[in-house]
Amino acid sequence: MRTVREVKALRGVVAAWKAAGQTVGVVPTMGALHPGHLSLIAAARAGADRVIATIFVNPRQFDSPEDLAKYPRTEDRDAGMLAVAGVDLLFAPPPEAVYPQGFATSVSVAGLSEGLCGAHRPGHFDGVATVVTKLFLMTGADRAFFGEKDWQQLQIVRRLARDLNIPVAVTGCPTLREADGLAMSSRNTRLSPADRAAAPALHRAMSAAGSAIRGGTPVADALARARQDILRAGFCEVEYLELRGAEGLEPLDAPDRPARLLAAAWLGGVRLIDNIVVDP
Ligand code: PAF
């Protein structure tokens, strides 16, 4: 696996692949890799001739300088994992290669970015949309692979690719879970042992609410019960727990179309998110 840090070198490699008729897949990451990321790499290997992974801790999508500083940076370990997983090229640019002096452009996906995580993390999705647009344009990838765990992010990425006519096919890949149901996330390593033991309650309560809704329980009742169960398990705050249309993310009070139950909740200073399918 080759590592490049400059856009010019990246474009040179991709141009040679494309000249040879090969398709290119990209898996954008911020590093601190776990098996969920490796499942995206596996999907990319199955869906494209060549695979690029990117590692860039994007300063524009963090809520505060403290949060950005706390984000784990483990590039050597990550690079080893990517090489073993069969990645052809690692693009790991320094901040100035992505945001040079005078950078003034922002990509903002109206509507989709506004509720759920967007309501609690102002500017976060503009940061994500801007960097993902740049990564698409810098890599020129034909296909891109994102985890369904960040469901709102996935819908935003699909929309920006469509709205901006970026010729990349965006594929969502299923959330990988620990044996006890906790969605895999780089943030899980920040949970204390006691909080780690409590964490699966989020997915458990969401699954119970999903089954209740499918079984005819009114959405508000099912969500109130789930909220109670999550707090009783030791979470200190449920930021949101909502039933939304799967693609447009419109609020739903009945699962009358493809839907997702989405949640964010705080456990011992760690913010966990999750989502599940609740189809009619
Ligand atoms: O999901 C992530 O890790 C990040 O939001 C992404 C898509 C790599 C953009 O920085």
Side-chain angles (χ1 to χ4, degrees), residues 27-31 37 40 54-59 61-62 71 99 124-125 127-129 131-132 135 145-147 150 153 157 186:
V27 179
T29 83
M30 297 204 298
H37 293 109
L40 303 182
T54 71
I55 296 180
F56 180 63
V57 182
N58 174 31
Q61 70 185 77
F62 282 83
Y71 198 84
Y99 301 120
H124 168 70
F125 285 124
V128 171
V131 83
V132 169
L135 290 169
F145 299 81
F146 291 83
D150 295 291
Q153 169 175 282
V157 167
S186 311

Side-chain angles (χ1 to χ4, degrees), residues 212-213 216-223 253:
I213 291 167
T217 302
V219 171
D221 295 352
L223 297 188
D253 50 23

